[in-house]
Amino acid sequence: MYLLPAIDILDGRAVRLARGDYDAVTVYHDDPATQAQLFEEDGASWIHVVDLNGAKSGNPDNIEVVRRILARTKLKVEVGGGVRSLEVADRLLDAGATRVILGTALVRDPDFAQAAMEKFGPDALVAGIDAKAGEAAVAGWTEGSGVAAADLARRMAGLGYEHIVYTDIARDGMQTGVENSAYARMAAAFGNPVIVSGGIATAADIAALAPIADAVEGVIAGRAIYEGTLSVADGVAACQGTYRVSDQLEAEERPLTLEDLEA
């Protein structure tokens, strides 16, 4: 597994939404490119970038912000939000993105999903499946699709997709932990490991994925990192299996010392 710190871009700034609600926005950094540099300095090798304006409008509204991130870091970047044409996907990949995430288009334009796979291949694409109560959501999580998330995963596997980001919208940004069984079921439907998104609060939550490690490719974390309940270093260690939950418990239970207060 590997860690993907998240940068969600809304109106040019790095933000997080609670449960996908565009009216429940927290701004974490005015410059997403600087935020990406901080993640890189802290040990991240990947980041997960979503253009929230683009996800809602269908246009790549923040593509220049994405270009700045790619220009100022050496991170592997998967990016999505409003990628509904081959031309937009081409622009992002030409700018240096490692993978492009397709979301709404998977449901609304299956011919495009197939054409993108034929043009770019499985290494350059991610199927972004966001679900509420098992139903795939579209248009920046604002609409239901009437398609079961597991059925969509099977359809994408049939087209040749090998990467999926599966987001549990009810848990996204809420730091409530991860429902392992949901990701195990999605991986079984897809036939490949999936990228976990939604609910991560601490390194212990990532470590708790160990029983389904074969079903997990990577782990996305956003709010937990921004608000300090998860460090990038601990998240990377947990993904690599070298983080010990006991270390966190000991740190939380240890009395404060003079050195702590002076730090």
Side-chain angles (χ1 to χ4, degrees), residues 42-151:
D42 288 342
S45 58
W46 279 88
I47 59 171
H48 173 85
V49 176
V50 175
D51 178 352
L52 292 174
N53 296 103
K56 196 171 183 180
S57 70
N59 300 308
D61 295 319
N62 289 295
I63 195 167
E64 291 308 315
V65 180
V66 174
R67 286 184 184 277
R68 289 205 307 273
I69 291 172
L70 292 164
R72 287 164 55 179
T73 71
K74 296 180 180 179
L75 292 164
K76 296 178 182 178
V77 178
E78 63 174 31
V79 57
V83 183
R84 299 173 197 173
S85 71
L86 296 178
E87 185 267 338
V88 170
D90 234 341
R91 288 168 64 190
L92 290 167
L93 292 168
D94 284 347
T98 304
R99 297 193 298 235
V100 171
I101 306 163
L102 307 184
T104 295
L106 302 178
V107 175
R108 292 185 170 170
D109 192 353
D111 289 342
F112 165 65
Q114 181 173 359
M117 178 56 61
E118 292 172 355
K119 180 176 177 62
F120 302 115
D123 291 337
L125 297 174
V126 181
I129 300 180
D130 310 324
K132 290 182 179 179
E135 178 186 358
V138 295
W141 300 351
T142 61
E143 302 174 20
S145 67
V147 178
D151 289 343

Side-chain angles (χ1 to χ4, degrees), residues 110-247:
D111 289 342
F112 165 65
Q114 181 173 359
M117 178 56 61
E118 292 172 355
K119 180 176 177 62
F120 302 115
D123 291 337
L125 297 174
V126 181
I129 300 180
D130 310 324
K132 290 182 179 179
E135 178 186 358
V138 295
W141 300 351
T142 61
E143 302 174 20
S145 67
V147 178
D151 289 343
L152 184 58
R154 293 186 189 96
R155 188 186 305 171
M156 292 305 103
L159 292 179
Y161 284 76
E162 296 179 0
H163 303 283
I164 272 184
V165 170
Y166 179 56
T167 302
D168 182 347
I169 295 173
R171 293 174 181 259
D172 189 74
M174 301 310 295
Q175 297 180 282
T176 53
V178 173
E179 183 184 352
N180 284 14
S181 60
Y183 290 94
R185 289 193 300 269
M186 181 59 64
F190 184 49
N192 284 295
V194 302
I195 298 173
V196 172
S197 175
I200 296 296
T202 67
D205 290 328
I206 299 175
L209 293 167
I212 61 163
D214 290 345
V216 178
E217 175 182 351
V219 180
I220 295 170
R223 181 180 173 187
I225 295 174
Y226 291 113
E227 298 193 355
T229 63
L230 171 67
S231 71
V232 170
D234 283 350
V236 169
C239 285
Q240 295 174 345
T242 59
Y243 176 82
R244 296 188 308 166
V245 176
S246 59
D247 291 342

